[in-house]
Coordinates of all heavy atoms in Angstrom, one line a residue:
Chain A
C38 N -6.7 48.2 -10.2 CA -7.5 48.5 -8.9 C -7.2 50.0 -8.4 O -8.1 50.6 -7.6 CB -7.1 47.6 -7.8 SG -7.4 45.9 -8.3
G39 N -6.1 50.5 -8.6 CA -5.8 52.0 -8.2 C -5.4 52.1 -6.8 O -5.0 53.1 -6.3
N40 N -5.4 50.9 -6.0 CA -4.8 51.1 -4.7 C -4.3 49.7 -4.3 O -4.8 48.6 -4.7 CB -5.8 51.5 -3.7 CG -6.9 50.5 -3.3 OD1 -6.5 49.5 -2.5 ND2 -8.0 50.7 -3.7
P41 N -3.2 49.7 -3.5 CA -2.4 48.6 -3.2 C -3.1 47.5 -2.6 O -3.0 46.3 -2.9 CB -1.2 49.0 -2.4 CG -1.1 50.5 -2.5 CD -2.6 50.9 -2.9
A42 N -4.1 47.7 -1.6 CA -4.7 46.8 -0.9 C -5.6 46.0 -1.8 O -5.6 44.7 -1.8 CB -5.5 47.4 0.3
D43 N -6.5 46.7 -2.6 CA -7.3 45.9 -3.5 C -6.5 45.1 -4.6 O -6.9 44.0 -4.9 CB -8.2 46.9 -4.3 CG -9.3 47.5 -3.4 OD1 -9.5 47.0 -2.3 OD2 -10.0 48.5 -3.8
A44 N -5.3 45.8 -5.0 CA -4.6 44.9 -6.0 C -4.0 43.6 -5.3 O -4.0 42.6 -6.0 CB -3.4 45.8 -6.4
R45 N -3.6 43.8 -4.1 CA -3.0 42.5 -3.5 C -4.2 41.5 -3.3 O -4.0 40.3 -3.5 CB -2.4 42.9 -2.1 CG -1.0 43.2 -2.2 CD -0.4 43.2 -0.8 NE -1.2 43.8 0.1 CZ -1.1 45.1 0.4 NH1 -0.2 45.8 -0.3 NH2 -1.9 45.6 1.3
D46 N -5.4 41.9 -2.9 CA -6.5 41.1 -2.8 C -6.8 40.3 -4.1 O -7.2 39.2 -4.1 CB -7.8 41.7 -2.2 CG -7.6 42.1 -0.8 OD1 -6.7 41.5 -0.2 OD2 -8.4 42.9 -0.3
L47 N -6.8 41.2 -5.2 CA -7.1 40.6 -6.5 C -6.0 39.4 -6.9 O -6.4 38.4 -7.4 CB -7.0 41.6 -7.6 CG -7.4 41.3 -9.0 CD1 -8.8 40.8 -9.1 CD2 -7.3 42.5 -10.0
V48 N -4.8 39.7 -6.7 CA -3.8 38.7 -6.9 C -3.9 37.5 -6.1 O -3.9 36.4 -6.5 CB -2.4 39.3 -6.8 CG1 -1.2 38.2 -7.1 CG2 -2.1 40.4 -7.8
Q49 N -4.3 37.8 -4.8 CA -4.5 36.7 -3.8 C -5.6 35.8 -4.2 O -5.5 34.6 -4.2 CB -4.7 37.3 -2.4 CG -5.3 36.4 -1.4 CD -4.2 35.7 -0.6 OE1 -3.0 35.9 -0.7 NE2 -4.6 34.8 0.4
D50 N -6.7 36.5 -4.6 CA -7.9 35.7 -5.0 C -7.6 34.8 -6.3 O -8.1 33.7 -6.4 CB -9.1 36.7 -5.4 CG -9.7 37.2 -4.1 OD1 -9.3 36.8 -3.0 OD2 -10.6 38.1 -4.2
T51 N -6.8 35.5 -7.2 CA -6.4 34.7 -8.5 C -5.6 33.5 -8.0 O -5.9 32.3 -8.6 CB -5.7 35.6 -9.3 OG1 -6.3 36.8 -9.7 CG2 -5.2 34.9 -10.7
F52 N -4.7 33.7 -7.2 CA -3.8 32.5 -6.8 C -4.6 31.4 -6.0 O -4.4 30.3 -6.1 CB -2.7 33.0 -6.0 CG -1.6 33.6 -6.8 CD1 -0.5 34.3 -6.3 CD2 -1.8 33.8 -8.2 CE1 0.5 34.8 -7.0 CE2 -0.9 34.3 -9.0 CZ 0.3 34.9 -8.4
E53 N -5.6 31.9 -5.2 CA -6.4 31.0 -4.4 C -7.2 30.1 -5.3 O -7.3 28.9 -5.1 CB -7.3 31.7 -3.4 CG -6.6 32.0 -2.1 CD -7.5 32.8 -1.1 OE1 -8.8 32.9 -1.4 OE2 -7.0 33.2 -0.1
R54 N -7.7 30.7 -6.4 CA -8.5 29.9 -7.4 C -7.6 28.8 -8.0 O -7.9 27.6 -8.1 CB -9.0 30.8 -8.6 CG -9.9 31.8 -8.1 CD -11.3 31.4 -8.5 NE -12.3 32.3 -8.0 CZ -13.6 32.1 -8.1 NH1 -14.0 31.2 -8.8 NH2 -14.5 33.0 -7.6
A55 N -6.4 29.3 -8.3 CA -5.5 28.2 -8.9 C -5.1 27.2 -7.9 O -5.0 26.0 -8.3 CB -4.2 29.0 -9.4
M56 N -4.8 27.6 -6.7 CA -4.4 26.6 -5.6 C -5.6 25.7 -5.4 O -5.3 24.5 -5.2 CB -4.0 27.3 -4.3 CG -2.8 28.3 -4.4 SD -1.3 27.4 -4.6 CE -1.0 27.0 -2.9
R57 N -6.7 26.2 -5.3 CA -7.9 25.4 -4.9 C -8.2 24.3 -6.0 O -8.5 23.2 -5.7 CB -9.1 26.4 -4.6 CG -10.1 25.8 -3.6 CD -11.0 26.7 -3.1 NE -11.6 27.6 -4.0 CZ -11.6 29.0 -3.9 NH1 -11.1 29.5 -2.8 NH2 -12.2 29.8 -4.8
Q58 N -8.3 24.8 -7.3 CA -8.8 24.0 -8.3 C -7.7 23.5 -9.2 O -7.9 22.6 -10.0 CB -9.9 24.7 -9.1 CG -11.0 25.0 -8.2 CD -11.9 26.1 -8.9 OE1 -11.8 26.3 -10.0 NE2 -12.8 26.7 -8.1
G59 N -6.5 24.0 -9.1 CA -5.4 23.7 -9.9 C -5.6 24.2 -11.4 O -6.8 24.7 -11.7
I60 N -4.5 24.3 -12.1 CA -4.7 24.8 -13.5 C -4.9 23.7 -14.4 O -4.2 22.6 -14.4 CB -3.5 25.6 -14.0 CG1 -3.1 26.8 -13.0 CG2 -3.4 26.0 -15.4 CD1 -1.9 27.5 -13.3
P61 N -6.0 23.6 -15.3 CA -6.3 22.5 -16.0 C -5.1 22.0 -16.8 O -4.3 22.8 -17.3 CB -7.4 23.0 -17.0 CG -8.1 24.1 -16.2 CD -6.9 24.7 -15.4
T62 N -5.0 20.7 -16.9 CA -3.8 20.0 -17.5 C -3.7 20.3 -19.0 O -2.6 20.3 -19.6 CB -3.8 18.5 -17.3 OG1 -5.0 18.0 -17.7 CG2 -3.4 18.2 -15.9
D63 N -4.8 20.6 -19.7 CA -4.7 21.0 -21.1 C -4.4 22.4 -21.4 O -4.3 22.8 -22.6 CB -6.0 20.5 -21.8 CG -7.2 21.3 -21.2 OD1 -7.2 21.9 -20.1 OD2 -8.3 21.3 -21.9
V64 N -4.1 23.2 -20.3 CA -3.8 24.5 -20.6 C -2.2 24.6 -21.0 O -1.4 24.1 -20.3 CB -4.0 25.4 -19.3 CG1 -3.3 26.8 -19.4 CG2 -5.5 25.6 -19.1
R65 N -2.0 25.3 -22.2 CA -0.6 25.3 -22.6 C 0.2 26.4 -22.0 O 1.3 26.3 -21.8 CB -0.6 25.5 -24.2 CG -0.9 24.1 -24.9 CD -0.9 24.3 -26.4 NE -2.1 25.3 -26.8 CZ -2.4 25.5 -27.9 NH1 -1.7 25.1 -29.0 NH2 -3.4 26.4 -28.3
N66 N -0.5 27.5 -21.7 CA 0.2 28.7 -21.2 C -0.4 29.0 -19.9 O -1.4 29.8 -19.8 CB 0.3 29.8 -22.1 CG 1.1 30.9 -21.7 OD1 1.3 31.1 -20.4 ND2 1.7 31.7 -22.6
P67 N 0.1 28.5 -18.8 CA -0.5 28.8 -17.5 C -0.5 30.3 -17.1 O -1.4 30.8 -16.3 CB 0.3 28.0 -16.4 CG 1.2 27.1 -17.2 CD 1.3 27.7 -18.5
R68 N 0.5 31.1 -17.5 CA 0.5 32.6 -17.2 C -0.7 33.2 -17.8 O -1.3 34.1 -17.1 CB 1.9 33.1 -17.9 CG 3.1 32.7 -17.2 CD 4.4 32.9 -18.0 NE 4.5 34.4 -18.4 CZ 5.0 35.3 -17.7 NH1 5.6 35.1 -16.6 NH2 5.1 36.6 -18.2
T69 N -1.0 32.8 -19.2 CA -2.2 33.4 -19.8 C -3.5 33.1 -19.0 O -4.4 33.8 -18.8 CB -2.2 33.1 -21.3 OG1 -0.9 33.3 -21.8 CG2 -3.2 33.8 -21.9
W70 N -3.5 31.7 -18.6 CA -4.7 31.2 -17.9 C -4.9 32.1 -16.6 O -6.0 32.5 -16.3 CB -4.5 29.8 -17.6 CG -5.7 29.1 -17.0 CD1 -6.7 28.5 -17.7 CD2 -6.0 29.0 -15.7 NE1 -7.6 28.1 -16.8 CE2 -7.2 28.3 -15.5 CE3 -5.4 29.4 -14.4 CZ2 -7.8 27.9 -14.3 CZ3 -6.0 29.2 -13.2 CH2 -7.3 28.4 -13.2
L71 N -3.8 32.3 -15.9 CA -3.8 33.1 -14.6 C -4.3 34.5 -15.0 O -5.0 35.1 -14.1 CB -2.5 33.1 -13.8 CG -2.1 31.8 -13.2 CD1 -0.6 31.8 -12.8 CD2 -2.9 31.6 -11.9
A72 N -3.7 35.1 -16.0 CA -4.1 36.4 -16.3 C -5.6 36.6 -16.7 O -6.3 37.5 -16.3 CB -3.3 36.9 -17.5
T73 N -6.1 35.4 -17.3 CA -7.5 35.6 -17.7 C -8.4 35.5 -16.4 O -9.5 36.1 -16.3 CB -7.9 34.4 -18.6 OG1 -7.1 34.4 -19.8 CG2 -9.3 34.4 -19.0
V74 N -8.0 34.6 -15.5 CA -8.8 34.4 -14.2 C -8.7 35.8 -13.5 O -9.8 36.2 -13.0 CB -8.1 33.4 -13.3 CG1 -8.7 33.4 -11.9 CG2 -8.3 32.0 -13.9
M75 N -7.5 36.5 -13.4 CA -7.5 37.7 -12.8 C -8.4 38.8 -13.5 O -9.1 39.6 -12.8 CB -6.0 38.3 -12.7 CG -6.0 39.5 -11.8 SD -4.2 39.9 -11.5 CE -4.0 41.0 -12.9
H76 N -8.4 38.8 -14.8 CA -9.3 39.7 -15.6 C -10.8 39.4 -15.2 O -11.4 40.4 -14.8 CB -9.0 39.5 -17.1 CG -10.1 40.1 -18.0 ND1 -11.1 39.4 -18.5 CD2 -10.1 41.4 -18.4 CE1 -11.9 40.2 -19.2 NE2 -11.3 41.4 -19.2
N77 N -11.1 38.3 -15.2 CA -12.6 37.8 -14.9 C -12.9 38.3 -13.5 O -14.0 38.8 -13.2 CB -12.8 36.4 -15.1 CG -12.7 35.9 -16.7 OD1 -12.5 36.8 -17.5 ND2 -12.7 34.6 -16.9
L78 N -12.0 38.1 -12.5 CA -12.2 38.4 -11.1 C -12.4 40.0 -11.1 O -13.3 40.5 -10.4 CB -11.1 37.9 -10.3 CG -11.1 36.5 -9.8 CD1 -9.8 36.1 -9.2 CD2 -12.2 36.2 -8.9
F79 N -11.6 40.6 -11.8 CA -11.6 42.1 -11.8 C -12.9 42.7 -12.3 O -13.6 43.5 -11.8 CB -10.4 42.7 -12.6 CG -10.5 44.2 -12.6 CD1 -10.3 45.0 -11.5 CD2 -10.7 44.8 -13.8 CE1 -10.4 46.4 -11.6 CE2 -10.7 46.2 -14.0 CZ -10.6 47.0 -12.8
I80 N -13.4 42.0 -13.5 CA -14.6 42.5 -14.1 C -15.8 42.2 -13.1 O -16.7 43.0 -13.0 CB -14.9 41.7 -15.5 CG1 -13.8 42.1 -16.5 CG2 -16.3 42.1 -16.0 CD1 -13.7 43.6 -16.8
D81 N -15.7 41.1 -12.5 CA -16.7 40.6 -11.5 C -16.8 41.7 -10.4 O -17.9 42.1 -9.9 CB -16.3 39.3 -10.9 CG -17.5 38.6 -10.3 OD1 -18.7 38.8 -10.8 OD2 -17.4 38.0 -9.1
R82 N -15.6 42.2 -9.9 CA -15.6 43.2 -8.9 C -16.2 44.5 -9.4 O -16.9 45.2 -8.6 CB -14.1 43.5 -8.4 CG -13.7 42.3 -7.6 CD -12.3 42.4 -7.3 NE -11.9 41.2 -6.4 CZ -11.0 41.2 -5.5 NH1 -10.3 42.3 -5.3 NH2 -10.7 40.1 -4.8
C83 N -15.9 44.9 -10.7 CA -16.4 46.1 -11.2 C -17.9 46.1 -11.3 O -18.6 47.0 -10.9 CB -16.0 46.4 -12.7 SG -14.1 46.7 -12.8
R84 N -18.5 44.9 -11.6 CA -19.9 44.7 -11.6 C -20.5 44.8 -10.3 O -21.6 45.5 -10.1 CB -20.3 43.3 -12.3 CG -20.0 43.3 -13.7 CD -20.1 42.0 -14.3 NE -20.0 41.8 -15.7 CZ -19.9 40.7 -16.3 NH1 -19.8 39.6 -15.7 NH2 -19.8 40.7 -17.7
S85 N -19.9 44.1 -9.3 CA -20.3 44.1 -8.0 C -20.4 45.6 -7.4 O -21.4 46.0 -6.7 CB -19.6 43.2 -7.0 OG -19.6 42.0 -7.5
A86 N -19.3 46.2 -7.7 CA -19.3 47.7 -7.2 C -20.3 48.6 -7.8 O -20.8 49.5 -7.1 CB -17.8 48.2 -7.5
K87 N -20.6 48.3 -9.1 CA -21.6 49.1 -9.8 C -23.0 48.8 -9.2 O -23.9 49.7 -9.0 CB -21.6 48.9 -11.2 CG -22.5 49.8 -12.0 CD -22.2 49.7 -13.4 CE -23.0 50.7 -14.2 NZ -22.8 50.6 -15.6
R88 N -23.2 47.5 -8.9 CA -24.6 47.1 -8.3 C -24.7 47.6 -6.8 O -25.8 48.0 -6.6 CB -24.8 45.6 -8.4 CG -25.2 45.2 -9.8 CD -25.4 43.8 -9.7 NE -24.3 43.0 -9.1 CZ -24.4 41.8 -8.6 NH1 -25.4 41.2 -8.5 NH2 -23.3 41.2 -8.2
R89 N -23.6 47.5 -6.1 CA -23.7 47.9 -4.8 C -22.7 49.0 -4.5 O -21.5 48.6 -4.1 CB -23.5 46.8 -3.8 CG -24.5 45.7 -4.1 CD -24.1 44.4 -3.3 NE -23.8 44.7 -2.0 CZ -23.4 43.8 -1.1 NH1 -23.1 42.6 -1.5 NH2 -23.2 44.0 0.2
P90 N -22.7 50.3 -4.8 CA -21.8 51.3 -4.7 C -21.1 51.3 -3.3 O -20.0 51.7 -3.2 CB -22.5 52.6 -5.0 CG -23.8 52.2 -5.6 CD -24.2 50.9 -5.2
H91 N -21.8 51.0 -2.3 CA -21.2 51.0 -1.0 C -21.5 49.8 -0.2 O -22.2 49.8 0.7 CB -21.8 52.2 -0.1 CG -21.7 53.6 -0.8 ND1 -20.4 54.2 -1.1 CD2 -22.5 54.3 -1.5 CE1 -20.5 55.2 -1.8 NE2 -21.9 55.4 -2.1
P92 N -21.0 48.7 -0.6 CA -21.2 47.4 0.0 C -20.6 47.3 1.5 O -19.6 48.0 1.7 CB -20.6 46.4 -0.9 CG -19.5 47.1 -1.6 CD -19.9 48.5 -1.6
E93 N -21.4 46.6 2.2 CA -20.7 46.3 3.5 C -19.4 45.6 3.4 O -18.4 45.8 4.0 CB -21.8 45.5 4.4 CG -23.1 46.2 4.8 CD -22.7 47.3 5.8 OE1 -22.0 47.1 6.7 OE2 -23.2 48.4 5.5
S94 N -19.5 44.5 2.6 CA -18.4 43.6 2.4 C -18.6 43.0 1.0 O -19.5 42.4 0.7 CB -18.2 42.7 3.4 OG -17.3 41.7 2.9
L95 N -17.5 43.2 0.1 CA -17.6 42.7 -1.2 C -17.6 41.1 -1.2 O -17.9 40.4 -2.0 CB -16.5 43.2 -2.1 CG -16.9 44.5 -2.8 CD1 -15.7 44.9 -3.6 CD2 -18.1 44.5 -3.6
E96 N -17.0 40.7 0.0 CA -16.8 39.2 0.2 C -18.2 38.6 0.1 O -18.3 37.4 -0.1 CB -16.0 38.8 1.4 CG -14.6 39.2 1.2 CD -13.7 38.9 2.4 OE1 -14.3 38.3 3.3 OE2 -12.5 39.3 2.4
D97 N -19.2 39.2 0.7 CA -20.5 38.7 0.8 C -21.3 38.7 -0.5 O -22.3 38.0 -0.7 CB -21.4 39.4 1.8 CG -20.8 39.6 3.1 OD1 -20.0 38.6 3.5 OD2 -21.1 40.5 3.9
D98 N -20.7 39.4 -1.5 CA -21.3 39.4 -2.8 C -21.1 38.2 -3.6 O -19.9 37.7 -3.8 CB -20.8 40.6 -3.6 CG -21.8 41.0 -4.7 OD1 -22.0 40.2 -5.6 OD2 -22.3 42.2 -4.8
P99 N -22.1 37.4 -4.2 CA -21.8 36.2 -4.8 C -21.1 36.4 -6.2 O -20.5 35.5 -6.7 CB -23.1 35.6 -5.0 CG -24.1 36.8 -5.0 CD -23.5 37.7 -4.0
G100 N -21.2 37.6 -6.8 CA -20.6 37.9 -8.1 C -21.4 37.2 -9.1 O -22.3 36.5 -8.9
I101 N -21.1 37.7 -10.4 CA -22.0 37.2 -11.4 C -21.1 36.7 -12.6 O -21.7 36.2 -13.6 CB -23.0 38.2 -11.9 CG1 -22.3 39.5 -12.2 CG2 -24.0 38.4 -11.0 CD1 -23.2 40.6 -12.8
A102 N -19.8 36.9 -12.6 CA -19.1 36.5 -13.8 C -18.6 35.1 -13.8 O -18.6 34.5 -12.7 CB -17.8 37.5 -13.9
Q103 N -18.3 34.5 -15.0 CA -17.7 33.2 -15.0 C -16.2 33.5 -14.9 O -15.6 34.2 -15.5 CB -18.0 32.6 -16.4 CG -17.0 31.5 -16.8 CD -17.3 30.3 -15.9 OE1 -18.3 30.0 -15.4 NE2 -16.2 29.6 -15.6
I104 N -15.7 32.9 -13.8 CA -14.2 33.3 -13.5 C -13.2 32.4 -14.2 O -12.3 32.9 -14.8 CB -14.0 33.2 -12.0 CG1 -15.0 34.0 -11.2 CG2 -12.6 33.6 -11.6 CD1 -14.9 35.6 -11.4
E105 N -13.4 31.2 -14.2 CA -12.4 30.2 -14.8 C -12.6 30.4 -16.2 O -13.6 30.4 -16.9 CB -12.7 28.8 -14.4 CG -11.9 28.4 -13.1 CD -12.5 29.0 -11.9 OE1 -13.7 29.3 -11.9 OE2 -11.7 29.3 -10.9
P106 N -11.4 30.4 -17.0 CA -11.5 30.7 -18.5 C -12.3 29.5 -19.1 O -12.2 28.3 -18.8 CB -10.0 30.7 -18.9 CG -9.2 30.9 -17.6 CD -10.1 30.5 -16.5
E107 N -13.1 29.8 -20.1 CA -13.8 28.9 -20.9 C -13.4 29.0 -22.4 O -13.0 30.1 -22.8 CB -15.4 29.1 -20.8 CG -15.9 28.8 -19.5 CD -17.4 29.0 -19.5 OE1 -17.9 30.0 -19.9 OE2 -18.1 28.1 -18.9
G108 N -13.7 27.9 -23.1 CA -13.4 28.0 -24.6 C -11.9 27.9 -24.9 O -11.1 27.6 -24.0
P109 N -11.6 28.2 -26.1 CA -10.1 28.0 -26.4 C -9.2 29.1 -25.8 O -9.7 30.1 -25.4 CB -10.1 28.2 -28.0 CG -11.4 28.9 -28.3 CD -12.4 28.5 -27.3
E110 N -7.9 28.6 -25.6 CA -7.1 29.6 -25.0 C -6.9 30.9 -26.0 O -6.8 30.7 -27.3 CB -5.7 29.1 -24.8 CG -5.7 28.1 -23.7 CD -4.3 27.4 -23.4 OE1 -3.3 28.1 -23.0 OE2 -4.1 26.2 -23.8

Side-chain angles (χ1 to χ4, degrees):
Chain A
C38 299
N40 77 72
D43 287 351
R45 272 197 311 276
D46 284 347
L47 183 60
V48 176
Q49 165 90 0
D50 287 354
T51 305
F52 286 177
E53 270 179 11
R54 294 258 172 182
M56 299 286 281
R57 207 162 45 229
Q58 297 164 14
I60 299 177
T62 47
D63 57 344
V64 166
R65 280 177 300 183
N66 188 336
R68 287 163 57 88
T69 311
W70 187 89
L71 286 166
T73 306
V74 170
M75 191 172 87
H76 166 266
N77 293 350
L78 283 167
F79 176 66
I80 298 298
D81 198 39
R82 286 171 181 214
C83 291
R84 289 171 175 166
S85 299
K87 189 171 185 178
R88 278 185 304 159
R89 298 171 56 186
H91 305 291
E93 291 295 313
S94 164
L95 275 180
E96 285 176 10
D97 298 337
D98 197 306
I101 52 176
Q103 165 64 34
I104 304 300
E105 273 70 29
E107 285 184 319
E110 287 180 70

